[in-house]
Amino acid sequence: MAIQWYPGHMHKAQKEIAEVMPQMDLIIEVLDARIPYSSSNPMITKLRGDKPVIKVLNKRDLADPLLTARWVDYLEQETGVRALPLTTQQPSEIKTIIELCRKLVPHRDQAGKNIRAMIMGIPNVGKSTTINILADRIIAKTGNEPAVTKAQQRINLQNGVVLTDTPGMLWPKVENENSGYRLAVTGAVKDTAMESDDVGMYAADYLLLAYPEQLKQRYQLPELPETGWDLLEMIGRKRGCLRSGGKVEMNKAADLLLHEVRAGTLGKITMETPDMVIEEEALIAKRLAEKAAKDAQRKAKFKGRR
């Protein structure tokens, strides 16, 4: 699913981040623990170079703990990366980010200099709430709508760390179609950017495979259907999402399911695994290579005609 949402302030933010990146000592990237891969902006990897990065797996209280542990192991295979599963519901956990900053750039701390950290993340992963907890005061505006932060700002935490906050950034093109759906399922993009029944069916298909027992328990279903579409219809009938004639209003059923996934009402759910994304990346690489080969052939053919 192509995400049709890339506000102008995000393009501006990317340019501004590239300009100040050389001054930073480390990066703090806030991710959604339910989609650690899909919520990681590939532009951040390019912009940070070899600077150490703390990947904060926020909303760990909503994610499958077994899969979160697997994601920590997977992410930390990359040089310079440390992964921290946290939740803003436990402020004491968020405070551990500061200690890890000191461990990753000890030379700044030992010299009595402020650690210069840039905090980044896509919309709606809890970045602003994390900043407010670290600062012990309300600095960053928070909200349930994605893309609340609009401009870059510097925040002296008064504990040896100076944060540079950045707007939540998506990227112009999400190559992995599955990532597009997962971003939509978890609410990282505005609901106006996609069709809710389409996204709801994607979520339903995945949940049928990964969390069937949680579906049965939540919706009191003795048996589950084979397809996501049929599941949405069953949920719609159970919850009264009906229109005249007794037909299920599929958009309403999808919205209901998506709301319960986002709120954690269905239980602790993770929408992707390391094995899944490794396979998906291989398929994307193959597709892009085939496209590049075709483009090269067309160019060669065009030059031959000249």
Side-chain angles (χ1 to χ4, degrees):
M1 181 191 70
I3 295 176
Q4 304 299 324
W5 189 58
Y6 188 62
H9 76 269
M10 291 187 185
H11 178 70
K12 179 184 176 184
Q14 182 188 349
K15 293 176 66 177
E16 292 176 348
I17 287 168
E19 290 174 2
V20 301
M21 184 64 75
Q23 304 166 22
M24 297 297 116
D25 298 310
L26 62 83
I27 307 302
I28 301 168
E29 184 181 13
V30 184
L31 308 174
D32 187 324
R34 298 167 297 178
I35 51 169
Y37 169 80
S38 295
S39 61
S40 182
N41 190 333
M43 289 195 296
I44 292 177
T45 302
K46 293 179 182 178
L47 291 171
R48 76 175 179 89
D50 60 356
K51 296 181 188 297
V53 59
I54 300 171
K55 290 185 179 284
V56 176
L57 303 185
N58 193 27
K59 306 186 182 183
R60 68 148 182 81
D61 52 318
L62 300 178
D64 185 326
L66 295 177
L67 287 179
T68 298
R70 286 176 58 190
W71 272 112
V72 169
D73 291 340
Y74 177 77
L75 293 170
E76 291 190 343
Q77 291 175 22
E78 185 180 349
T79 303
V81 172
R82 291 291 299 274
L84 279 179
L86 304 174
T87 171
T88 53
Q89 302 303 310
Q90 297 290 333
S92 60
E93 291 186 4
I94 299 298
K95 298 285 189 177
T96 62
I97 294 173
I98 301 301
E99 291 306 312
L100 186 52
C101 286
R102 294 194 172 103
K103 289 180 181 178
L104 290 176
V105 283
H107 60 284
R108 296 286 298 183
D109 195 39
Q110 292 166 5
K113 296 180 179 180
N114 284 330
I115 296 169
R116 300 162 300 186
M118 179 176 284
I119 187 164
M120 309 174 76
I122 69 167
N124 211 25
V125 291
K127 176 171 65 70
S128 294
T129 303
T130 298
I131 290 170
N132 292 337
I133 292 172
L134 291 174
D136 286 323
R137 58 194 188 278
I138 303 299
I139 293 215
K141 184 179 177 182
T142 62
N144 292 326
E145 281 283 304
V148 171
T149 304
K150 301 292 185 184
Q152 200 175 107
Q153 61 177 329
R154 293 185 68 202
I155 304 155
N156 192 334
L157 300 182
Q158 305 297 330
N159 55 14
V161 177
V162 175
L163 284 182
T164 295
D165 184 20
T166 58
M169 286 199 315
L170 285 174
W171 48 105
K173 186 176 182 181
V174 179
E175 295 287 356
N176 188 333
E177 184 182 50
N178 291 290
S179 288
Y181 277 110
R182 293 169 194 144
L183 288 165
V185 170
T186 56
V189 295
K190 289 184 177 180
D191 288 339
T192 54
M194 76 297 192
E195 296 293 333
S196 60
D197 57 346
D198 194 23
V199 178
M201 188 167 63
Y202 180 90
D205 281 331
Y206 176 79
L207 294 170
L208 280 171
L209 291 173
Y211 298 99
E213 294 307 314
Q214 288 176 220
L215 287 172
K216 286 182 179 179
Q217 182 176 352
R218 176 61 186 167
Y219 299 111
Q220 298 297 299
L221 301 172
E223 298 293 334
L224 292 175
E226 293 184 0
T227 70
W229 188 260
D230 289 336
L231 176 62
L232 287 180
E233 190 168 19
M234 291 177 73
I235 292 172
R237 292 196 180 282
K238 279 272 186 180
R239 296 296 182 85
C241 302
L242 303 174
R243 58 188 180 196
S244 58
K247 291 186 177 181
V248 173
E249 186 64 63
M250 299 301 281
N251 281 336
K252 287 185 178 180
D255 286 341
L256 188 152
L257 177 64
L258 292 174
H259 173 76
E260 299 206 331
V261 169
R262 294 169 186 173
T265 313
L266 273 172
K268 299 187 176 189
I269 287 170
T270 296
M271 294 294 297
E272 60 192 12
T273 70
D275 291 340
M276 285 169 58
V277 300
I278 289 170
E279 183 178 343
E280 289 166 9
E281 282 189 330
L283 291 172
I284 292 167
K286 181 181 178 182
R287 186 180 73 228
L288 293 176
E290 290 172 349
K291 182 180 181 300
K294 289 180 180 178
D295 289 344
Q297 287 178 355
R298 280 195 293 267
K299 287 181 181 179
K301 189 175 182 181
F302 176 75
K303 285 182 180 179
R305 290 175 179 175
R306 295 177 63 181

